[in-house]
Amino acid sequence: MKIVMLGAPGAGKGTQAIKIADKYGIPHVSTGDIFRANIKGGTELGKKAKSYIDKGELVPDEVTIGMLLDRIAEEDCKDGYVLDGFPRTIPQAESLTKALAEKGEKLDYAIDIEVPDDNIVKRMSGRRACPKCGATYHIVYAAPKVPNVCDNCGSELIIRSDDKPETVQDRLSVYHKQTEPLIAYYKEEGILRTVDGTQDLPKVFEDVVKILG
Ligand code: ADP
Ligand code: AMP
């Protein structure tokens, strides 16, 4: 099963992707997580990505596409994956389609989680992330058992530096300009499915499972 998650930043792609990965036994591949791990590790890739991420801009396609294609060529991805945060531009989507077609493969579903912008801003202000394992929480909607401590690994939670309200606005406008056209792209491919992301977390997942079967 090869799945792409679509939706604005903060729509709940990561939250749902982790649950999909768990239920269907496929890896969760988040380009944002890969960039953050590289920033933390001080790699060349991390240095390149950081300035874009901090401004709420997209990391250039030349960097991102190769990185993602390398990741999904790894052994654990041979039976499928759920992509979270990729593709974010039409050239990224086209490169993925082409790379898969070269191996006689294709994506199964593009799941678009729809959430209006004003709702997104509320979600992002309450998001907390685990810097170690990548788990995501919300101070009201998905609170950890112990305040500010990751349920999975016990690390102290952080506020992502790109979740500042002014950066969130920039990320939303980047989304509408560069990423939203992917909805039409995957509709044309016949694999687009839409979920109402304003519902509570378990209900969104229920709808996703109805799609995936
Ligand atoms: P994305 O990966 O699309 O950027 P996240 O999965 O990190 O988004 O979700 C953004 C924030 O919204 C997180 O704090 C998360 O806990 C919260 N969240 C996700 N889904 C829902 C939902 N259905 N209802 C309320 N809050 C949600
Ligand atoms: P995310 O964790 O998906 O919210 O991504 C955080 C940031 O990483 C984004 O705002 C971008 O700056 C960068 N990023 C993640 N995925 C991509 C991508 N596919 N293309 C370009 N930039 C990306």
Side-chain angles (χ1 to χ4, degrees):
M1 183 130 60
K2 300 186 186 68
I3 305 161
V4 157
M5 304 302 291
L6 298 177
K13 299 182 296 298
T15 303
Q16 297 299 326
I18 288 170
K19 290 167 79 70
I20 293 169
D22 187 44
K23 183 172 171 73
Y24 296 92
I26 50 177
H28 164 221
V29 176
S30 154
T31 39
D33 282 353
I34 300 175
F35 286 133
R36 283 184 288 277
N38 276 277
I39 292 171
K40 205 171 157 202
T43 68
E44 276 311 306
L45 177 69
K47 281 177 204 154
K48 261 189 222 159
K50 189 175 184 327
S51 60
Y52 297 98
I53 294 178
D54 284 349
K55 282 185 277 185
E57 293 171 5
L58 296 185
V59 179
D61 286 346
E62 306 83 90
V63 177
T64 309
I65 292 171
M67 178 185 89
L68 185 278
L69 295 182
D70 285 349
R71 174 66 189 92
I72 60 174
E74 286 175 29
E75 180 62 21
D76 64 330
C77 289
K78 72 177 185 342
D79 294 328
Y81 38 76
V82 50
L83 300 187
D84 159 18
F86 187 99
R88 262 182 158 104
T89 64
I90 292 284
Q92 290 182 13
E94 289 172 342
S95 302
L96 178 60
T97 304
K98 185 163 166 272
L100 289 174
E102 281 166 5
K103 293 190 287 176
E105 297 175 0
K106 59 182 186 50
L107 291 172
D108 296 295
Y109 296 105
I111 299 180
D112 180 33
I113 306 184
E114 282 187 334
V115 178
D117 286 8
D118 50 350
N119 212 319
I120 293 282
V121 175
K122 260 184 239 150
R123 282 196 190 178
M124 300 292 246
S125 62
R127 172 155 68 178
R128 297 292 180 271
C130 175
K132 192 157 173 230
C133 74
T136 298
Y137 300 88
H138 189 283
I139 50 174
V140 178
Y141 309 126
K145 291 192 184 86
V146 178
N148 236 24
V149 176
C150 180
D151 291 351
N152 294 340
C153 70
S155 302
E156 192 177 338
L157 303 179
I158 56 155
I159 299 177
R160 272 171 50 172
S161 60
D162 58 344
D163 279 353
K164 294 191 290 279
E166 59 276 24
T167 316
V168 168
Q169 286 301 345
D170 292 340
R171 291 167 68 198
L172 274 172
S173 68
V174 165
Y175 167 75
H176 289 301
K177 233 183 273 160
Q178 302 197 59
T179 308
E180 211 168 21
L182 294 177
I183 295 175
Y185 178 90
Y186 286 118
K187 193 170 185 185
E188 181 71 29
E189 301 251 307
I191 60 165
L192 181 75
R193 303 288 184 275
T194 303
V195 171
D196 174 4
T198 62
Q199 309 173 96
D200 66 18
L201 253 146
K203 182 69 180 74
V204 176
F205 188 57
E206 224 180 276
D207 287 359
V208 168
V209 171
K210 270 188 209 146
I211 292 167
L212 300 179

